[in-house]
Amino acid sequence: MDFFSQADTQVFLFFNGMHTDYLDRFMMVFTGRFVWVPMYAALLYAVLRNCTARKAVATVLCIVLAIVLADQFCGHLLRPAVGRLRPANPDNPLSELAVIVNGYRGGTYGFPSCHAANSFALAVFTALLVRSRRVAAFIIIWAVVNSYSRLYLGVHYPGDLFVGAVFGSIFGALCFGLSDIIAPASQYSDKPLWRSLRTSDAVMLAGIAIAAGIAVYSLII
């Protein structure tokens, strides 16, 4: 355990030390929860357009359930039990070496990362739901970058993110399976929205637009 802890610390220091003013601004916005609301709305749109009423309700409820389970399990069960201080926490000796952005330090404990758990719960569920490789690839990359932003900001070790991502993926997959039991996948089909694009692409397009907006915003502020 000492070896893994030391390796985790060294990897954290390596990646956390690579900072630029531009990325500081970019990651602070990217890591926000509410900035991605349009992408969540696009996912809801795709579900409502392509599902029967029963399938839509089951899908939305199971997505919410996946995120709630991931968040509660990691944040309220594992974190207090493990009690691992965030690297940016002032009570952690490592905080003197961590690069902190805008004074942001997060809460007290950080293992596992709820940010990673919630992101991967949503990403895995969505990837299984949409049946589109490009949308699945995009949403997984989004979850990876969203998780990495926590390491960049100094509030999580890599191990926090990895374990959070694993549990989030498990809950996402389990809840997707539950939604299929409640309402089988045959109750929806991805109908063309316009020519070469499918409605599920709205999720990817919304996410790309938000990321582009963050990139431009980070340049001008």
Side-chain angles (χ1 to χ4, degrees):
M1 289 301 296
D2 287 341
F3 169 79
F4 286 114
S5 179
Q6 291 175 11
D8 206 23
T9 299
Q10 292 305 312
V11 174
F12 166 80
L13 291 173
F14 176 78
F15 285 103
N16 176 251
M18 297 189 294
H19 275 250
T20 67
D21 290 340
Y22 173 78
L23 283 178
D24 286 355
R25 297 189 293 271
F26 181 87
M27 291 298 181
M28 278 299 296
V29 179
F30 196 98
T31 199
R33 297 180 186 274
F34 298 110
V35 71
W36 298 103
V37 167
M39 187 177 76
Y40 308 149
L43 175 59
L44 177 61
Y45 163 77
V47 170
L48 294 177
R49 183 175 174 84
N50 292 285
C51 300
T52 63
R54 178 182 176 184
K55 182 64 179 177
V57 171
T59 298
V60 172
L61 289 179
C62 285
I63 288 175
V64 173
L65 179 63
I67 296 172
V68 169
L69 287 175
D71 187 76
Q72 294 299 306
F73 180 77
C74 291
H76 295 275
L77 182 62
L78 290 185
R79 276 189 183 177
V82 176
R84 188 187 198 191
L85 292 174
R86 294 177 185 264
N89 189 288
D91 293 329
N92 188 336
L94 186 68
S95 63
E96 297 181 3
L97 301 177
V99 179
I100 309 301
V101 179
N102 296 340
Y104 177 65
R105 295 180 180 271
T108 303
Y109 300 131
F111 181 90
S113 167
C114 290
H115 222 84
N118 298 345
S119 297
F120 272 90
L122 176 63
V124 169
F125 193 110
T126 302
L128 293 171
L129 174 71
V130 298
R131 298 182 178 184
S132 167
R133 290 183 179 179
R134 58 188 175 190
V135 177
F138 166 78
I139 200 70
I140 294 298
I141 292 172
W142 168 81
V144 170
V145 177
N146 206 18
S147 298
Y148 172 74
S149 70
R150 312 302 288 171
L151 189 158
Y152 182 93
L153 296 173
V155 295
H156 281 296
Y157 293 97
D160 300 346
L161 302 175
F162 176 76
V163 175
V166 169
F167 281 115
S169 299
I170 291 172
F171 284 119
L174 289 176
C175 289
F176 174 78
L178 176 62
S179 73
D180 245 7
I181 293 173
I182 297 173
S186 60
Q187 294 194 24
Y188 74 94
S189 61
D190 201 359
K191 305 170 185 176
L193 179 58
W194 64 88
R195 294 193 177 182
S196 63
L197 293 179
R198 298 184 293 182
T199 51
S200 61
D201 286 321
V203 180
M204 178 180 66
L205 294 173
I208 291 174
I210 295 169
I214 295 173
V216 173
Y217 175 77
S218 300
L219 277 174
I220 62 178
I221 62 172

